[in-house]
Amino acid sequence: MTTLGIICELNPLHSGHLRLLDFARAHADTVVIAMSGPFVQRGEVAVMDPWTRARQAVRHSADLVLQIPTVYVLQSADYYAKGGVSTLNALGAVDGLAFGVEAEAPVFSPKDVDADSVLREQLQSGLSYRRAAAASLGHTLSPNAILASQYIHAVHNLGLSWVFYPLARPVSSPGDPSATRLRQNLAILAQNGASQKNLTQGASFQKRLFQEEKVPSRASCVHLDGYALQSFEDPAFDALVDKELVAKSYHPAETSAVIQWLQLENRRGTLDFQTSPHFEPGMDRRVSAVLDQWSRESQISHGKLLAKIQDSHAQDHISNHHTLEELVTLCANKRQSKARYRRMIWTTLLGITKADLVPVTYLMPLAFNQKGAALLKRAPSPVIQKKVPNDLSSDAKRLLAVDRRAWAIAQHLTGQSRSPESYRYLVD
């Protein structure tokens, strides 16, 4: 009996994920997914809550979805892969790993000893993983190839004898609706709110989206209404799966609240980015400089504010809330990417340090069917659902404590109120 694992985020679920699930199902009796939770590896809040995304996966042929601890999700590709593989391995039943990668993309294998040595030197010099890999191999790796390489490394380093099932991804064109493009489309749709005519006048929605170079920086926390289903008929959303569910469940994060949080900690002098695994000297100064500038700009006396309310431009002033994406865009540079700044900020706010990267010794199921439930009953690791076992190790409690904080923060930023205990795990 073959059990294949998949490591993914389903943010959101699209046709490429379905292709990978079908591929895994064709090679295995059981398919288990290790998935990120309220946050994703890019350092962003997921567009839908983890339980909804997990239930989608089970309805589309997965048998069990496990959450990767947030401590490992908010990391670079190597630790993210380690967290995903470790989560699957804790089940005690997985014997293979399926993943998608471009057909022509080279993949780093554990046998590339010389290249691996150069890679580590480049990483220690401060380069991002993608730039370090390009320097060591002599060519650029795609994000999927980077992850595939790290999955292979993680399996090798953990001493597992899993079989790999790479699925060749079709060659994409600039206009193809990838997961990133779908998230951008959804953000634009949410920001337009009820202004449906903005989607129908002038150039087509799809054409304007694909011509845009800059993603809108302000998340509006406006949830998609019924009109979204009509907008989803546009080819820009062809790859989106379960459109009606997305229209009801899409919750963009209002990250201007994060900026207020950062400014408060910055004024108090309690914002210590040096504890983050992603910190490099100078990154803290860049963030503090932007926060200080924004704080100075917002220091308007109560009297002046009242005067502005009388002014025709008052609304422009009042709605001028900065977001996390604006902050990381201003701070990012060739050496440190926006994703690295996001991860540094979130690991700092969540209190995640390198010491928290402890072994994954428990299972956090998000959704499963009857076959998945049987796997959980046979699992050698503690299974955490609505109650935490008393005999849970101190390391597991550390990981779980971060997950709880991450859930609470994500729910606050997205305006959701349901607790993890209120979700039903078994999918009929």
Side-chain angles (χ1 to χ4, degrees):
M1 182 175 179
T2 303
T3 299
L4 280 189
I6 294 174
I7 301 171
C8 60
E9 300 196 296
L10 309 183
N11 186 49
L13 182 69
H14 58 72
S15 56
H17 294 127
L18 297 188
R19 187 166 171 264
L20 180 58
L21 281 166
D22 290 343
F23 173 76
R25 177 62 66 188
H27 290 83
D29 304 293
T30 310
V31 177
V32 180
I33 290 177
M35 189 187 80
S36 57
F39 286 84
V40 294
Q41 199 252 342
R42 292 166 56 89
E44 299 173 334
V45 178
V47 298
M48 296 194 298
D49 70 78
W51 298 274
T52 299
R53 285 151 48 215
R55 290 172 68 83
Q56 273 188 288
V58 172
R59 288 196 175 100
H60 289 283
S61 81
D63 298 298
L64 170 63
V65 180
L66 302 169
Q67 180 176 318
I68 304 172
T70 305
V71 164
Y72 280 96
V73 171
L74 290 171
Q75 302 295 335
S76 53
D78 49 351
Y79 281 106
Y80 172 75
K82 180 180 179 181
V85 170
S86 297
T87 298
L88 292 171
N89 188 46
L91 186 62
V94 175
D95 43 30
L97 190 67
F99 50 83
V101 66
E102 287 75 8
E104 302 300 324
V107 174
F108 232 4
S109 78
K111 298 179 181 179
D112 297 326
V113 179
D114 294 336
D116 189 55
S117 176
V118 176
L119 172 67
R120 294 186 182 282
E121 290 178 5
Q122 297 292 338
L123 287 173
Q124 290 173 0
S125 72
L127 289 181
S128 66
Y129 186 90
R130 191 171 186 178
R131 291 179 181 275
S136 58
L137 291 177
H139 47 71
T140 301
L141 288 176
S142 69
N144 291 310
I146 289 174
L147 284 173
S149 300
Q150 289 306 317
Y151 296 153
I152 294 171
H153 272 274
V155 169
H156 174 77
N157 292 336
L158 289 172
L160 305 175
S161 56
W162 290 1
V163 178
F164 299 110
Y165 294 82
L167 171 64
R169 291 166 55 96
V171 178
S172 60
S173 64
D176 283 346
S178 62
T180 300
R181 178 59 69 180
L182 284 172
R183 287 192 295 272
Q184 294 172 4
N185 296 0
L186 287 168
I188 293 171
L189 192 58
Q191 288 175 0
N192 283 338
S195 182
Q196 186 176 1
K197 63 181 180 180
N198 289 338
L199 302 178
T200 58
Q201 292 181 350
S204 72
F205 183 43
Q206 182 186 28
K207 184 176 180 181
R208 291 203 319 278
L209 287 174
F210 293 156
Q211 287 175 345
E212 282 197 38
E213 294 296 331
K214 184 178 180 181
V215 183
S217 57
R218 288 182 171 82
S220 63
C221 209
V222 175
H223 302 160
L224 300 181
D225 295 314
Y227 83 90
L229 289 177
Q230 180 179 347
S231 302
F232 283 164
E233 295 176 3
D234 191 285
F237 294 102
D238 280 352
L240 188 65
V241 177
D242 297 336
K243 294 180 174 62
E244 185 172 352
L245 176 64
V246 173
K248 295 178 180 177
S249 305
Y250 174 74
H251 293 275
E254 178 51 87
T255 60
S256 61
V258 182
I259 298 301
Q260 296 171 10
W261 184 6
L262 289 170
Q263 287 176 320
L264 177 61
E265 298 292 340
N266 192 44
R267 287 195 300 271
R268 290 174 173 173
T270 55
L271 197 57
D272 187 7
F273 289 118
Q274 296 186 33
T275 61
S276 168
H278 306 287
F279 172 78
E280 273 193 343
M283 293 179 73
D284 52 347
R285 291 193 296 274
R286 290 191 185 92
V287 173
S288 293
V290 176
L291 293 175
D292 287 340
Q293 179 183 343
W294 286 349
S295 293
R296 288 192 297 270
E297 292 173 354
S298 65
Q299 289 174 352
I300 301 174
S301 68
H302 182 65
K304 289 183 178 180
L305 181 57
L306 288 177
K308 281 184 175 289
I309 293 177
Q310 309 298 324
D311 188 87
S312 59
H313 300 294
Q315 187 59 41
D316 291 338
H317 171 77
I318 294 170
S319 62
N320 187 23
H321 299 303
H322 296 291
T323 65
L324 186 59
E325 194 61 19
E326 288 178 275
L327 175 61
V328 299
T329 299
L330 289 171
C331 293
N333 51 73
K334 290 184 178 180
R335 183 181 179 91
Q336 294 128 356
S337 66
K338 290 195 292 184
R340 182 166 187 168
Y341 270 96
R342 288 192 211 100
R343 290 193 288 258
M344 182 187 76
I345 290 169
W346 279 121
T347 50
T348 299
L349 294 177
L350 287 166
I352 298 172
T353 68
K354 287 185 178 179
D356 293 314
L357 292 165
V358 294
V360 181
T361 56
Y362 65 89
L363 299 169
M364 177 74 73
L366 296 172
F368 48 82
N369 57 21
Q370 295 292 349
K371 189 181 290 187
L375 277 179
L376 290 172
K377 288 182 180 178
R378 299 193 299 267
S381 305
V383 177
I384 300 174
Q385 287 182 264
K386 297 185 178 181
K387 293 184 179 180
V388 179
N390 295 326
D391 59 346
L392 203 62
S393 69
S394 58
D395 282 350
K397 289 179 180 178
R398 287 171 68 182
L399 294 177
L400 187 59
V402 174
D403 280 337
R404 295 288 183 181
R405 291 198 296 272
W407 289 336
I409 290 172
Q411 287 179 330
H412 175 73
L413 295 178
T414 57
Q416 299 179 81
S417 58
R418 294 182 68 182
S419 65
E421 289 77 12
S422 67
Y423 287 88
R424 186 168 180 265
Y425 300 90
L426 182 63
V427 178
D428 298 326

